[in-house]
Amino acid sequence: MSQKIQAVRGMNDVLPSDAPAWQRLHAVAAEVFAAYGYAEIRLPVVERSELFKRAVGEVTDVVEKEMYSFEDRGGERLSLRPELTAGVVRAGIEHGLFFNRQQRLWCSGPVFRYERPQAGRYRQFHQLDVEAFGIATPDLDVEIIALAEALFRRLGVGGFRLQLNSLGTPAVRAAYRAKLVDYLRRFESSLDEDSRRRLSTNPLRVLDSKVPGTRAILEGAPQLPDHLDAPSRAHFETVQRGLSDLGIAYALNPRLVRGLDYYTHTVFEWTSTALGAQDAVCAGGRYDGLVEQLGGPPTPGIGFAIGVERLVLLMRAQEVPLPEAGPQVYFCRFGERADPAAAQLAETLRRRLPGLRLLLNAGGGALKTQLRRADASGARYALILGDDEAAAGRVQVKSLRGEGEPRSVAVSELPAQLAELLELPLLS
RNA sequence: GUGGACGUAGCUCAGUUGGUUAGAGCUUCGGAUUGUGAUUCCGGAGGUCGUGGGUUCGAGUCCCAUCGUCCACCCCA
């Protein structure tokens, strides 16, 4: 058993039984993104390590201890991407996508973080990412949030809690940060070890500590929303009003601080209690300084990422209906004349009945065996073509689900018969 | 990186205070007369008990290590 080569820790196979949920998610996502006017961009999985250090932040956990980094044969420092936003920004700058225009983009694929796997957390996981550039006004914040909301609704998953906060501008954040540190220093000896460490590295992160003693201290801490400057406050209020106008429910969470350094102003996160400890399904925010920081023209931006595995988990938990994917028809064939005749007929049926899912028996087997396979395949009908039928120019159509007796149909009539039975369009 | 639980057939599990050739259900394959499935009956296949050491006359059962899975912390989608 241990001799067998197995998947790398934290990197999972999506087996055929799970694939339909993934397909459904991506199909609905592509539709919704298109409906809002977002265009797809596809990116390499590997980028220069430098990109993530500059975009995500040098001292964040994601780049500090979770990146898969290596040197290629030419000595370049490269990393498997730990998130998608940095790559989208890099590509946009590189191809001049941000010069004097707005861009609405989406992107999806695997990302990699070296963490201990647990429920809803893997070393290779997948994100659906939406990003919009060149629009600084709060109406775009509302659009982005509404877009995610629409995706969940179209997919048929619910029970989320949308949390909202504003981090303001970098200046606001710096000023607040100083106040927070001042306050926390007074209780330093009562803080838990992690929070004490963060006090010097990333004090805002202390805010979402789960340690009870620390939480108690935080009760009296200065609140970030109280320190917003007038423009930031106005921006945030407009976002809230816009969401209310659209009937989107949200909860303000002054402690919501995202773990990536590039966020400014609006940040948001959808969580679900059905997921265990890793409860964030979708999270994002505004990052107005990022494009410039990576060498592009000053360009406001905002985006979010959805955790595909987590959303698929919810789809399964909430039993989201999935389209039938198995064969509708299983074609049994046996005999010297019948075998090639059946192969040809199968091609004809697939061509004339678009959408038909027909599985042609292969590998021989007695009729009994073939019918057993037909039943196991989940097909609704079996077609039976032996030498007797071949000689007569007919095919037996047999219901596998108790819908009437088998009947013999002339080959010439078969396409029309199947079209009617399966309610499929028929081409000439 | 830290902590806890767990690793027995493809799957879900049983396996008595350590005692002879390790079991069940499901799945799978074959058969129950010639070309008719899913029900029923009969039969077969499938495990060096995660791996490596150790204790013992004897280990799936005890000890150690290691790998892996799950859950939580940390962090995050």
Side-chain angles (χ1 to χ4, degrees):
Chain A
M1 203 69 116
S2 72
Q3 307 276 13
K4 284 184 189 162
I5 295 181
Q6 28 183 328
V8 173
R9 172 168 220 198
M11 306 206 179
N12 301 117
D13 304 308
V14 177
L15 298 178
S17 54
D18 289 327
W22 284 65
Q23 289 172 354
R24 170 81 181 145
L25 171 52
H26 280 92
V28 171
E31 264 176 48
V32 171
F33 297 157
Y36 281 74
Y38 285 67
E40 183 177 9
I41 182 169
R42 300 193 180 205
L43 304 170
V45 169
V46 175
E47 300 272 1
R48 305 184 111 86
S49 304
E50 183 64 18
L51 172 65
F52 302 115
K53 287 185 185 163
R54 281 169 60 190
V56 177
E58 191 106 35
V59 298
T60 56
D61 280 19
V62 169
V63 317
E64 214 170 39
K65 47 188 210 193
E66 296 175 2
M67 276 216 290
Y68 279 88
S69 297
F70 58 97
E71 218 169 75
D72 74 2
R73 288 169 190 274
E76 303 265 24
R77 294 296 308 166
L78 305 178
S79 295
L80 301 183
R81 58 187 182 191
E83 54 112 51
L84 297 176
T85 305
V88 173
V89 172
R90 190 229 82 223
I93 293 171
E94 188 167 336
H95 299 101
L97 266 37
F98 301 142
F99 283 96
N100 301 320
R101 47 183 169 147
Q102 305 179 342
Q103 284 289 351
R104 287 176 169 86
L105 303 171
W106 69 272
C107 180
S108 76
V111 297
F112 303 83
R113 290 181 198 172
Y114 189 86
E115 304 179 270
R116 281 283 281 273
Q118 72 181 76
R121 195 175 71 182
Y122 316 100
R123 288 184 171 179
Q124 174 178 330
F125 63 101
H126 296 75
Q127 291 189 335
L128 279 170
D129 209 56
V130 173
E131 315 282 355
F133 299 91
I135 303 165
T137 48
D139 51 354
L140 186 64
D141 305 36
V142 174
E143 172 179 302
I144 282 273
I145 291 172
L147 164 50
E149 191 79 10
L151 173 54
F152 298 143
R153 200 171 47 242
R154 284 282 294 280
L155 206 53
V157 292
F160 299 119
R161 182 172 133 90
L162 168 60
Q163 301 183 70
L164 208 61
N165 194 21
S166 172
L167 303 177
T169 61
V172 165
R173 225 167 135 178
Y176 171 71
R177 179 185 153 128
K179 283 209 167 108
L180 181 65
V181 171
D182 276 352
Y183 172 82
L184 291 175
R185 287 262 182 246
R186 288 190 276 144
F187 301 93
E188 190 162 356
S189 56
S190 316
L191 290 174
D192 63 280
E193 194 186 329
D194 281 322
S195 294
R196 267 206 302 279
R197 179 172 48 79
R198 288 199 212 112
L199 206 46
S200 48
T201 57
N202 198 343
L204 292 194
R205 296 223 52 86
V206 176
L207 288 175
D208 53 16
S209 170
K210 290 173 189 167
V211 180
T214 300
R215 293 197 78 122
I217 292 169
L218 288 169
E219 291 294 321
Q223 300 260 303
L224 202 156
D226 299 335
H227 292 74
L228 292 178
D229 56 14
S232 295
R233 187 186 306 279
H235 183 104
F236 193 35
E237 282 168 359
T238 308
V239 171
Q240 294 175 53
R241 209 174 315 121
L243 292 177
S244 299
D245 288 345
L246 292 178
I248 295 172
Y250 60 88
L252 294 180
N253 179 356
R255 299 214 185 114
L256 179 65
V257 185
R258 315 269 37 239
L260 283 50
D261 278 356
Y262 50 62
Y263 287 113
T264 56
H265 291 291
T266 317
V267 293
F268 48 86
E269 179 171 310
W270 279 263
T271 56
S272 168
T273 52
L275 282 176
Q278 309 302 319
D279 60 357
V281 184
C282 173
R286 190 166 264 287
Y287 45 84
D288 287 344
L290 182 61
V291 175
E292 192 174 7
Q293 187 184 316
L294 291 177
T299 307
I302 181 170
F304 65 75
I306 290 172
V308 171
E309 281 82 356
R310 292 181 187 175
L311 193 46
V312 167
L313 236 44
L314 288 174
M315 289 169 69
R316 289 182 58 175
Q318 297 180 14
E319 294 175 348
V320 167
L322 298 174
E324 296 288 327
Q328 300 156 300
V329 175
Y330 191 103
F331 201 153
C332 304
R333 53 164 169 168
F334 50 94
E336 301 251 323
R337 284 184 66 177
D339 279 347
Q344 287 169 18
L345 183 52
E347 290 302 328
T348 302
L349 291 171
R350 294 191 189 107
R351 181 172 55 74
R352 293 193 60 194
L353 298 163
L356 172 66
R357 300 187 305 275
L358 181 149
L359 200 161
L360 176 63
N361 186 74
L367 178 58
K368 172 188 266 188
T369 304
Q370 295 193 31
L371 280 169
R372 236 197 311 263
R373 289 175 190 152
D375 186 49
S377 78
R380 198 166 145 195
Y381 295 101
L383 298 181
I384 300 171
L385 182 59
D387 281 346
D388 293 353
E389 286 84 356
R394 302 186 78 80
V395 173
Q396 204 181 129
V397 179
K398 178 185 172 86
S399 166
L400 297 169
R401 311 293 155 210
E403 299 169 275
E405 292 301 303
R407 49 184 153 153
S408 172
V409 175
V411 167
S412 57
E413 296 297 319
L414 186 60
Q417 288 275 335
L418 280 181
E420 195 184 327
L421 286 171
L422 297 169
E423 294 174 17
L424 287 169
L426 178 64
L427 303 183
S428 56

